[in-house]
Amino acid sequence: MSNSTPLPSVKTKATPGPASNGLGRGLFAYTDIRTCDDILHIQDPFVAVLKTERLQDTCSGCFGKRHFDSYSGQEVSLKACTGCHVVKYCDKSCQSKDWKLTHSRECVIFRNLKPKVLPVNARALLRMVLRTEARKNAYTEEELVLFQTLETHIDDILNRNAPQAERIALTSRAVKEYSKTDMEEEKIVAYHARLDLNSFNLTNDDDIGIYLHPYAALINHSCDYNAVVGFDGSEIFVKAIRPIATGEQIFISYIDTTYPTRIRQKELQERYFFTCNCAKCLCAKDPEPTGEAGAAAREAYALLEESRASSCVTDEQKLVDVTKSLLSHDLPKTKQPFISILDEKIVSDISTGKFDQAFFNSALRVTRIDPQVYPYEAHPLRASHALTLAKLALYSYQSSCQLSSYEKNSLGVEGPQKKSQLHFGLLAWALFSDLVAKEGEYCTVPGFKERVRNGFAEVEKWLMSQGIDPGRMEKEIKRERRKLAMLVDKLHMLPVR
């Protein structure tokens, strides 16, 4: 990949330029880009920090990459910084990297604030201020110039979002005090506003923190996007999900575009202060339900909002009740809010060890919902969901969680009484085998591909230890696939009783 920027950690096939329709600047392809090509790869973030609730279980040096990629299934053993006891690391190499970057300057601040731990945005802002004024490992002039070109929308925040304005002001004042910086408070406020408007959710399988790099932040939003963002530890990849021609603008999605146009536009206005005029928004054909069906949908959206506002797993009984209500009003499974409710149910099932239930919900999502919701087969979410399905089959097999009956389906709705058994081990092997065979067709990051290969090796090892050679069981595997498809069909068409 070429590097047309003065930033050594940035490799790109796109260059900044003026964007139409009031979008300011954007990134534009300077060469033809194929599906799954890296449009942008940045090794070192401008800033990246973990959410407060992830400080105890995720390494602040590699952001969990080393343990996440190992596929060991073992509990992560992290060592806390002996100075502040706030951040934790895999080992000395992760600690040393983070220490040199910024932690050497923030450690004493964290220690003096104990037992208080700064919230995620405050820790990110503190890091940016400290690195700006550092003598070693400071931002380069090019990085700072690019960062300062990003929008702040200060006037919009002050006039339209008083709580956000107050939070920015209080956090900026606190960071100035804690850091003992000479930087003017007005400049710190501008830093914070840029962070709010231009940061990404740092992810592995879950949202674990926030990430910002000013070059990546130049990419504009479209609900009809042509590129996707993926993280591999602290590295960010922007990949094409379809061919992009020279001169074409690169677009990603800032929000979940599976939601109806009204909700998408509301979120974009409230958080980013603009109206999307993409083809998907202008040609919207997504009328929302009315009457009792509309009330059921609003109840589901309220539960999802409640879940996002807290860090806890959504109450299982509430999920079951909402799901029954959605299905009783014939609201489609391939549209919101059912899609997100199903995702919440999968997370709930996994957290409570109900791997068989999670498996069937996940199978419904992978085989019936994702192809409709994400029509580009290269979309990384299709691969991510398929990996979850494969891992659930393996967990069920390893724990001898064989499904012996299907008297009640995994959504908590009364279902068919037919007895059915599945060999989760053979299904796990087949699902991992599919992912390995298609790894070049998905827009996934290198670490994801490594996890897939490690998972395939794990399930093959387990089967072989049981005297089962899946490579010689083609007929048996086909039979298991057919049985699974039949059960998912029944779940997909299941009426409420």
Side-chain angles (χ1 to χ4, degrees):
M1 180 184 288
S2 300
N3 185 0
S4 63
T5 77
L7 308 176
S9 68
V10 175
K11 296 181 179 179
T12 182
K13 291 182 178 178
T15 188
S20 58
N21 298 322
L23 293 179
R25 292 202 303 164
L27 285 187
F28 295 81
Y30 62 70
T31 185
D32 290 346
I33 301 173
R34 300 168 299 179
T35 300
C36 290
D37 276 359
D38 290 346
I39 301 170
L40 183 64
H41 173 208
I42 303 175
Q43 292 181 318
D44 301 319
F46 191 79
V47 67
V49 296
L50 293 170
K51 291 181 177 179
T52 303
E53 60 266 25
R54 301 310 296 265
L55 289 170
Q56 296 303 306
D57 64 11
T58 306
C59 174
S60 289
C62 69
F63 298 102
K65 175 176 169 57
R66 293 174 62 183
H67 284 280
F68 196 57
D69 287 354
S70 70
Y71 202 83
S72 63
Q74 299 176 357
E75 186 177 348
V76 176
S77 178
L78 300 174
K79 294 180 174 61
C81 169
T82 56
C84 64
H85 296 279
V86 172
V87 295
K88 293 186 175 183
Y89 303 102
C90 297
D91 54 24
K92 289 184 178 179
S93 63
C94 284
Q95 182 180 23
S96 177
K97 175 185 175 182
D98 195 42
W99 182 263
K100 292 176 181 177
L101 184 64
T102 309
H103 189 60
S104 60
R105 295 181 286 277
E106 69 185 4
C107 184
V108 65
I109 298 173
F110 290 173
R111 185 173 68 241
N112 291 338
L113 288 171
K114 288 179 63 176
K116 178 181 179 180
V117 176
L118 293 175
V120 60
N121 277 39
R123 284 183 281 113
L125 180 62
L126 177 63
R127 281 205 155 203
M128 290 193 294
V129 170
L130 292 173
R131 280 199 69 188
T132 298
E133 298 191 328
R135 293 183 179 180
K136 292 183 179 180
N137 297 311
Y139 294 126
T140 65
E141 182 180 351
E142 292 81 7
E143 286 175 320
L144 286 174
V145 168
L146 187 57
F147 174 65
Q148 289 164 0
T149 64
L150 300 179
E151 289 282 356
T152 64
H153 283 281
I154 286 292
D155 290 339
D156 287 318
I157 293 172
L158 290 172
N159 295 328
R160 297 164 59 181
N161 195 330
Q164 183 183 13
E166 182 179 7
R167 175 174 55 82
I168 288 176
L170 290 174
T171 302
S172 300
R173 194 173 304 128
V175 165
K176 179 172 176 59
E177 178 184 346
Y178 298 149
S179 64
K180 311 298 182 186
T181 179
D182 292 329
M183 187 183 293
E184 294 180 358
E185 189 172 322
E186 183 179 0
K187 185 174 181 179
I188 299 176
V189 166
Y191 268 40
H192 197 326
R194 291 188 183 97
L195 177 70
D196 272 15
L197 270 294
N198 297 281
S199 60
F200 294 81
N201 289 329
L202 178 64
T203 63
N204 43 42
D205 265 358
D206 304 310
D207 289 344
I208 62 170
I210 59 174
Y211 171 102
L212 173 65
H213 194 284
Y215 203 86
L218 291 173
I219 305 176
N220 282 315
H221 162 88
S222 173
C223 299
D224 187 23
Y225 52 94
N226 55 19
V228 289
V229 174
F231 288 94
D232 202 7
S234 61
E235 296 181 51
I236 190 172
F237 291 81
V238 178
K239 291 176 174 284
I241 58 171
R242 64 164 176 78
I244 299 174
T246 301
E248 189 175 348
Q249 187 173 179
I250 310 301
F251 288 106
I252 58 174
S253 175
Y254 295 176
I255 59 173
D256 185 344
T257 60
T258 64
Y259 279 80
T261 305
R262 175 187 61 82
I263 295 178
R264 297 199 310 271
Q265 294 285 13
K266 182 175 183 289
E267 184 174 352
L268 290 169
Q269 275 291 336
E270 290 180 349
R271 183 171 177 185
Y272 300 103
F273 307 105
F274 74 89
T275 298
C276 182
N277 292 307
C278 72
K280 183 173 181 176
C281 288
L282 295 177
C283 303
K285 296 180 180 179
D286 52 0
E288 296 185 60
T290 58
E292 292 185 359
R298 288 192 295 274
E299 182 184 6
Y301 285 128
L303 182 59
L304 292 169
E305 186 63 32
E306 178 185 320
S307 176
R308 279 193 292 268
S310 69
S311 56
C312 301
V313 176
T314 308
D315 181 83
E316 183 176 12
Q317 189 56 52
K318 288 183 179 179
L319 284 169
V320 171
D321 292 343
V322 164
T323 302
K324 286 182 178 180
S325 181
L326 293 176
L327 294 177
S328 68
H329 292 95
D330 294 325
L331 291 170
K333 298 182 180 70
T334 56
K335 293 184 180 297
Q336 293 289 7
F338 186 90
I339 298 168
S340 291
I341 289 292
L342 183 62
D343 284 345
E344 290 289 326
K345 187 64 171 71
I346 293 169
V347 171
S348 175
D349 289 339
I350 292 173
S351 69
T352 54
K354 298 174 183 177
F355 297 131
D356 57 343
Q357 292 189 15
F359 175 82
F360 276 96
N361 286 331
S362 185
L364 174 64
R365 178 176 63 180
V366 168
T367 63
R368 299 296 185 270
I369 296 175
D370 282 357
Q372 300 296 318
V373 177
Y374 307 109
Y376 291 114
E377 193 168 357
H379 201 294
L381 280 180
R382 292 183 64 167
S384 178
H385 293 166
L387 177 59
T388 297
L389 179 63
K391 289 162 68 174
L392 286 167
L394 177 56
Y395 294 158
S396 296
Y397 178 68
Q398 289 176 327
S399 61
S400 300
C401 186
Q402 291 281 351
L403 184 69
S404 58
S405 68
Y406 200 54
E407 295 180 357
K408 196 170 187 180
N409 74 57
S410 53
L411 292 176
V413 183
E414 294 301 322
Q417 303 297 313
K418 181 179 178 180
K419 298 275 185 178
S420 179
Q421 290 186 337
L422 290 173
H423 194 301
F424 282 107
L426 290 181
L427 281 172
W429 186 90
L431 293 166
F432 272 111
S433 180
D434 291 345
L435 281 164
V436 170
K438 294 181 178 181
E439 71 173 15
E441 300 173 21
Y442 289 121
C443 295
T444 54
V445 299
F448 181 90
K449 294 176 172 62
E450 183 177 351
R451 292 193 291 277
V452 166
R453 291 190 289 269
N454 289 342
F456 182 68
E458 177 78 5
V459 69
E460 195 162 54
K461 176 183 175 182
W462 266 84
L463 288 170
M464 296 297 283
S465 71
Q466 301 294 317
I468 300 171
D469 185 354
R472 297 184 177 185
M473 300 181 69
E474 184 177 354
K475 290 182 179 179
E476 291 84 352
I477 289 173
K478 285 183 178 180
R479 183 175 65 244
E480 295 303 316
R481 288 183 187 272
R482 287 195 298 269
K483 287 161 59 178
L484 175 60
M486 290 175 62
L487 288 171
V488 173
D489 280 341
K490 290 175 181 176
L491 180 58
H492 186 49
M493 301 301 295
L494 187 69
V496 174
R497 298 181 180 181

